[in-house]
Amino acid sequence: MRKTATFILTILLYSFSYGQTATELYNSKNYQELVKLENKADKLTPDELYMVGFAFFQLENDNKAIEFYDKAMKKGLDNGSVHFYKGLSLCYKKQYDEALKEIDISLKKESTNQEFMNQKGQIYRYQGQEDKALEFFVEATKLPNTYGEPFFWVAYIYHGKKDFKKALTLYYIALDSVPQKNSYYQTTLESIGQLEYTYTKDYLKSAKAYSQAIQLDKDNYELYYKLMKSYNAAKEYVKADSIFGLVKIAFEKGKLPKEDMEIKTIAIAQFEWNGQTATIRKSLIDPKESLDISYKVFLLDKEGDKVERRFVVEKTIQLEKDGAKHLLCEQDKKTGDHITYPYGWSIDNIPLDDLEKAVKLVLDGKMKYSAKSNFGKK
């Protein structure tokens, strides 16, 4: 069912000779019952016709919604709301020119309605006219802030224009302007987290934003992954490990996204090497047997589209008390060779900065392999 923004409508109470009134059904959001009044359309008042149309809109039947809005207007209802919601239904039908006409009428009747002006911006955005959309989103931010959402869209458009500095400033303004119950409040937090991570590289601010987003959406584990990456980038390893522990519990309960449940590793950190990005993934299953993998490191090509090199940390037989329990290895994509390097760890929770150091030694040609094998070769 569609979510709509704050809607205030002054209505008169009209009773039917049976059951609940249209007003009671409307106020209780009982849209399935409300649309059953369709066959009584000729007896309904303009306000009741509007309510039936709104019920059809909520049930995603825009054709019927428009039909009843028109009936309501034909009987004399001519306020901003009926034109606004007819415009929304026309938008969903991608009849943008007609939708714009209705939104313009609603704005003539309620010129300071922020939601109406925001929707005008949306119509242009849907058509790919972002500069025109921006014009009306900015105009909406100047109106009494009863809705909040246009503050997000102004920041979003500057983000798309890659004006990251301005976008970040505007996202923080949006955070103070968009109601928390609006879904774009969480999206604003996520956008702040992203830009603080990638643009300012203020990883603690990034972590703060993702932490706040998680409080609003505690089952969104993609946010946990981003929070871990932020903490690890800030070298707050203990905090990152605590988040990994929560994710691991969720994995054991089968709550993670399907892909992560299947591959059994998650991205916890990344680093840069010669303009390329390397992602570190950690296994959600503790390594027990020899050759079990605890970490994977994927070096992407310069375009960031394909994996160029693939490193792993494998469990090995510990020959001495303080000897290596885990070794750095590589899986050669071209030859299929399994390559072992003379670099290992005697502890299970491998320091990420040391893992990064080891991989970079190989990439820089400063560490040669100690063994190479390919059991698939004949």
Side-chain angles (χ1 to χ4, degrees), residues 317-329:
I317 299 172
Q318 191 173 25
L319 300 177
E320 302 175 5
K321 183 177 180 181
D322 295 326
K325 293 172 62 177
H326 307 275
L327 290 174
L328 178 67
C329 302

Side-chain angles (χ1 to χ4, degrees), residues 104-337:
D104 279 339
I105 294 172
S106 71
L107 280 167
K108 285 181 181 179
K109 296 181 180 298
E110 297 182 40
S111 61
T112 62
N113 190 306
Q114 189 182 54
E115 184 179 3
F116 294 0
M117 187 66 74
N118 182 78
Q119 186 58 34
K120 186 169 183 176
Q122 292 287 25
I123 292 172
Y124 285 109
R125 189 177 72 85
Y126 295 151
Q127 298 177 89
Q129 300 181 51
E130 290 213 328
D131 288 336
K132 194 72 173 175
L134 179 60
E135 176 185 335
F136 291 105
F137 288 138
V138 169
E139 189 65 27
T141 65
K142 298 176 183 177
L143 299 176
N145 189 27
T146 56
Y147 187 52
E149 194 174 298
F151 289 92
F152 166 81
W153 289 112
V154 173
Y156 176 86
I157 289 178
Y158 278 107
H159 194 167
K161 291 175 178 291
K162 300 188 186 302
D163 190 341
F164 301 131
K165 182 178 181 180
K166 189 166 187 175
L168 185 57
T169 298
L170 290 168
Y171 278 131
Y172 276 111
I173 293 173
L175 201 61
D176 291 330
S177 307
V178 179
Q180 288 194 23
K181 63 183 179 181
N182 188 303
S183 63
Y184 288 105
Y185 183 83
Q186 179 182 327
T187 308
T188 299
L189 285 169
E190 293 179 40
S191 298
I192 288 172
Q194 178 196 1
L195 285 178
E196 293 287 16
Y197 186 95
T198 59
Y199 174 63
T200 68
K201 302 192 185 303
D202 192 328
Y203 303 118
L204 288 179
K205 283 186 179 179
S206 175
K208 179 181 178 182
Y210 286 130
S211 293
Q212 289 178 287
I214 287 171
Q215 294 307 307
L216 300 172
D217 193 1
K218 293 186 178 180
D219 291 329
N220 185 342
Y221 289 99
E222 295 289 345
L223 294 175
Y224 290 75
Y225 308 159
K226 293 174 181 178
L227 178 56
M228 268 189 292
K229 289 172 70 176
S230 296
Y231 275 141
N232 279 322
K235 301 189 184 304
E236 293 282 354
Y237 301 124
V238 174
K239 291 181 180 179
D241 286 344
S242 69
I243 300 301
F244 181 81
L246 295 175
V247 171
K248 193 172 180 181
I249 291 171
F251 169 74
E252 291 167 352
K253 293 181 178 180
K255 292 184 176 181
L256 298 187
K258 182 180 179 182
E259 182 181 4
D260 299 318
M261 291 298 301
E262 291 175 351
I263 64 179
K264 301 177 177 58
T265 66
I266 56 169
I268 62 168
Q270 67 183 47
F271 61 87
E272 299 298 314
W273 177 79
N274 286 359
Q276 294 175 244
T277 299
T279 300
I280 300 176
R281 299 184 68 91
K282 187 174 182 178
S283 174
L284 291 160
I285 300 175
D286 295 331
K288 297 177 181 179
E289 305 291 336
S290 182
L291 301 182
D292 281 354
I293 294 172
S294 54
Y295 294 86
K296 296 181 179 181
V297 182
F298 298 111
L299 178 70
L300 302 180
D301 59 18
K302 289 189 179 294
E303 291 72 30
D305 298 327
K306 298 179 180 179
V307 175
E308 193 171 277
R309 297 182 70 170
R310 181 185 292 113
F311 297 88
V312 296
V313 176
E314 294 181 354
K315 187 173 177 60
T316 188
I317 299 172
Q318 191 173 25
L319 300 177
E320 302 175 5
K321 183 177 180 181
D322 295 326
K325 293 172 62 177
H326 307 275
L327 290 174
L328 178 67
C329 302
E330 183 176 2
Q331 299 169 335
D332 193 301
K333 287 188 64 181
K334 294 180 179 179
T335 65
D337 288 340

